[in-house]
Amino acid sequence: MPKLTIQILEGVERGRIYDDLTPPITIGREEENRIQLNDDRVSRFHLKIQEEAGRVILTDLDSTNGTRVNGHPIQVRVLQPGDQILVGRSLLLYGSPQELRREDSNSNLSDHALDNIRTHPGHPPRGAESVIEPGESSFLEARPVPAGDPGGPPASQTLFPAGPPILPEGLRMGQSAQLHDLLVYVHREMSDVVANAKEESQSPTRGMLMGRTDWQRLQLLQMQVGRYIRQIIEP
């Protein structure tokens, strides 16, 4: 069972670090949550983080104001060290300082997460609770979040800063065949659109032009993938 670390960068609890957390845990406004956030924009039980097959999965619990990971609204997400979770006015960072340094040394993690924080043993910053609960070992001082989404991560930050998510393992033969067909379909549609694009002859930046039919085809593909995502979340 993996041990999780959640660091709070912004919000009333700014500066707290929760480590040695054993999933599943919930985060929300009520005291019953493992991490309680004093924020009226946070739902009573806002999100859940659990472990399945060696992966750490975040699920939004139908919260009123939603959950964002790296600036993007999500309902379910496989977390990677360095992911920033925006809950109400609170900005949370998934991963311990050691995990972030390890990811950074592998050149997989954006500089934003590491540049935003530094270890600060001692007292919590003003506005954070002073009681250290089980599973907490130190405090973290956060620098201001760069401009972008107000109160959140910069707009330029990607949803997957550590790279593409890996394929699921342990699928049955029929499931593998279905996943294969789905990915081949998406790949084929995208390949046809890319193959039909033409370079702008007069553009100094070598921009690419797309016909309206291909643009509509790409929109339909986007909608279809959206339906797949919805069916996975709400079978």
Side-chain angles (χ1 to χ4, degrees):
M1 182 72 68
K3 296 293 185 178
L4 311 181
T5 300
I6 301 291
Q7 308 181 37
I8 303 183
L9 302 183
E10 292 294 336
V12 175
E13 285 77 21
R14 179 176 67 91
R16 276 193 171 275
I17 178 170
Y18 296 81
D19 57 10
D20 289 331
L21 298 172
T22 301
I25 66 167
T26 58
I27 298 175
R29 203 173 65 248
E30 289 290 318
E31 293 182 359
E32 287 81 1
N33 292 282
R34 180 61 189 85
I35 297 179
Q36 182 185 13
L37 299 175
N38 186 16
D39 185 342
D40 58 8
R41 294 187 182 179
V42 173
S43 295
R44 294 172 61 249
F45 294 92
H46 198 103
L47 63 87
K48 181 177 183 180
I49 299 177
Q50 57 193 328
E51 185 270 341
E52 183 177 330
R55 297 180 180 86
V56 178
I57 301 172
L58 181 152
T59 304
D60 181 87
L61 300 176
D62 293 327
S63 63
T64 301
N65 293 309
T67 301
R68 288 177 175 261
V69 174
N70 300 327
H72 299 263
I74 62 95
Q75 290 176 298
V76 64
R77 156 82 184 209
V78 178
L79 290 176
Q80 302 175 26
D83 281 344
Q84 293 191 352
I85 306 163
L86 186 63
V87 183
R89 300 180 182 88
S90 300
L91 182 64
L92 285 56
L93 178 66
Y94 170 67
S96 66
Q98 294 77 17
E99 288 176 314
L100 300 183
R101 292 190 189 97
R102 185 161 57 247
E103 290 291 324
D104 187 55
S105 66
N106 293 332
S107 300
N108 287 330
L109 181 65
S110 68
D111 292 335
H112 173 66
L114 285 177
D115 288 344
N116 242 10
I117 62 174
R118 61 184 176 87
T119 306
H120 181 70
H123 299 288
R126 184 170 51 191
E129 297 177 9
S130 59
V131 178
I132 299 180
E133 301 175 353
E136 300 177 46
S137 61
S138 62
F139 292 95
L140 191 115
E141 184 174 321
R143 299 175 185 173
V145 178
D149 187 11
S156 60
Q157 191 170 354
T158 66
L159 179 57
F160 298 98
I166 62 175
L167 287 170
E169 299 175 351
L171 297 177
R172 297 191 299 273
M173 183 179 297
Q175 293 174 321
S176 295
Q178 284 181 294
L179 180 60
H180 171 269
D181 289 349
L182 188 153
L183 292 177
V184 168
Y185 164 73
V186 173
H187 183 266
R188 183 69 268 165
E189 291 293 300
M190 293 178 66
S191 296
D192 288 347
V193 171
V194 170
N196 291 334
K198 294 179 175 60
E199 183 176 308
E200 272 188 289
S201 58
Q202 304 299 323
S203 172
T205 59
R206 302 183 63 185
M208 302 298 291
L209 296 174
M210 178 188 299
R212 183 170 184 83
T213 299
D214 288 323
W215 178 70
Q216 291 174 331
R217 186 175 181 180
L218 202 57
Q219 282 188 312
L220 291 174
L221 178 62
Q222 183 182 22
M223 282 299 301
Q224 182 60 57
V225 172
R227 293 190 195 100
Y228 287 147
I229 293 171
R230 174 64 61 184
Q231 290 171 9
I232 291 171
I233 296 173
E234 299 176 358

